[in-house]
Amino acid sequence: MAGIRLFLSSAVLLAVVGAIGQGAGWVMPTTTLGPTAYVLPAHPESEAARLRNSSLGHATAAAGGLACLAS
């Protein structure tokens, strides 16, 4: 049952982010969310699964990528 819950929650998360990215013209965010979509429901007690840590990690990666594009 946990495997089905993990699959469905990951699929829904990726579909929502993919739809937002498609609407904005940016499909790239879905590639980094795959591992995060797995870690959050599969290992909710781990430090990596904390919302603050995953949000800051993605924000830092996005800022670094945009800085590279800007230069």
Side-chain angles (χ1 to χ4, degrees):
M1 191 64 163
I4 293 171
R5 182 179 59 92
L6 172 61
F7 173 76
L8 290 176
S9 60
S10 298
V12 168
L13 175 65
L14 289 173
V16 168
V17 170
I20 292 169
Q22 187 73 21
W26 289 23
V27 182
M28 295 176 287
T30 57
T31 58
T32 61
L33 284 179
T36 304
Y38 167 76
V39 168
L40 291 177
H43 305 286
E45 309 86 26
S46 73
E47 180 119 4
R50 291 186 182 160
L51 184 59
R52 182 189 68 200
N53 292 344
S54 60
S55 299
L56 285 175
H58 283 285
T60 302
L66 290 173
C68 288
L69 283 175
S71 61

